[in-house]
Amino acid sequence: MSALPPAARWLPEKTFEGQVAVVTGGGTGRGLEVSRGLAALGATVVIASRSAEHHQPLLEEARARGWTCAARVLDVREPKLVRECAESVVTAHGKVDILVNNAAGNFVCPAERLSSNAWRAVLGIVLDGTFYCSQSFGKAMIARGAGQMLNVVATYAWTGMPGVVHSASAKAGVLAMTRSLAAEWARFGVRCNAIAPGPFHSQGAQQNLWPDADAERKLREKIPLGRFATAEEVAAQCLHLLSPASAYLTGECLVVDGGATLGSSMWAPGTRFTKKRGAESDAGFDAGESAAAG
Ligand code: COA
């Protein structure tokens, strides 16, 4: 077992050597790929998530590959537990250099039917959880005068999207938090950035966001690059943002969506624009007609 995990292949070996990284929700999907990449490039990685079962794949791989990884059971909605988790990581590993606020909860539900509990569950994980973790791990970074955070948001934080008002509202808050903390904590040597992935395949997303093939096809048609990302591609961009290549970046949000945000403009990608016969002005094109013909 020697090949690097896909997300780690674009950066020099040992890019994160000597660093301690905490990844919330780091045992599954995109979070797992970020954790694997950081570990493969030399970081000590601590994953923190609700289910101990989700910790096993990374811990087993770490044993086989000689990576340094550990895990904590944590519900990021509980501020006391988050504080204790941060203290235990600092006690065990001496410091925290990187925090990836990756844990999330989401499902599609019409806003008029969303229960207050459902709203609270998603806001609690995404918005409250990101703040509790940023504050608790941030204190350790501030004390050392160095550190960085990467928050996972979504482009609907600024475009809005039907069916996910809870998640969109929470992610918009996280984006504002990213920029606020970037401005506030730069003087302590702490940077905060965000990444906004478009749709990519993961079990959670598939079950909750595009449960059938038709929903998946409709979503895919809106992506100019014509496909979903892979979790590894998103993780590769996370690693790049966390690497020294991005040392002068703070308060920024990188969109990794295959152009999907651009593709949601008025015309469908591939629409041909032709002037109507006899039209005298440039305004006389008919997108619908030529799209049907083309
Ligand atoms: N549609 C509507 N409401 C939903 C829902 C759905 N698909 N899933 C959960 N809810 C509601 C529950 O009904 C409950 O509200 P109620 O008490 O009024 O009935 C509330 O949300 C809390 O749900 P519960 O499952 O008890 O909370 P939880 O804290 O254990 O988990 C989530 C909340 C969001 C994490 C959970 O729904 C979940 O596991 N989602 C899938 C994982 C995921 O989101 N992955 C990321 C995908 S991008």
Side-chain angles (χ1 to χ4, degrees), residues 163-248:
V164 290
V165 66
H166 43 343
S167 177
S169 305
K171 296 286 191 186
V174 172
L175 191 56
M177 193 189 307
T178 305
R179 293 173 175 148
S180 303
L181 294 182
E184 192 169 335
W185 287 351
R187 69 199 172 106
F188 300 126
V190 177
R191 294 183 298 107
C192 303
N193 288 298
I195 186 164
F200 63 92
H201 285 288
S202 77
Q203 208 188 351
Q206 227 146 317
Q207 278 167 4
N208 294 292
L209 301 180
W210 54 89
D212 57 56
D214 193 42
E216 181 181 330
R217 182 184 52 77
K218 282 187 183 142
L219 207 51
R220 202 173 48 238
E221 280 170 2
K222 295 195 171 196
I223 304 174
L225 283 184
R227 64 175 179 86
F228 287 10
T230 62
E232 291 84 353
E233 283 174 312
V234 176
Q237 294 301 327
C238 292
L239 296 182
H240 182 255
L241 286 173
L242 294 166
S243 78
S246 307
Y248 196 59

Side-chain angles (χ1 to χ4, degrees), residues 267 273-276 279-287:
W267 313 120
F273 301 101
T274 51
K275 266 191 199 172
K276 273 185 183 163
E280 296 205 349
S281 83
D282 280 343
F285 54 70
D286 183 335

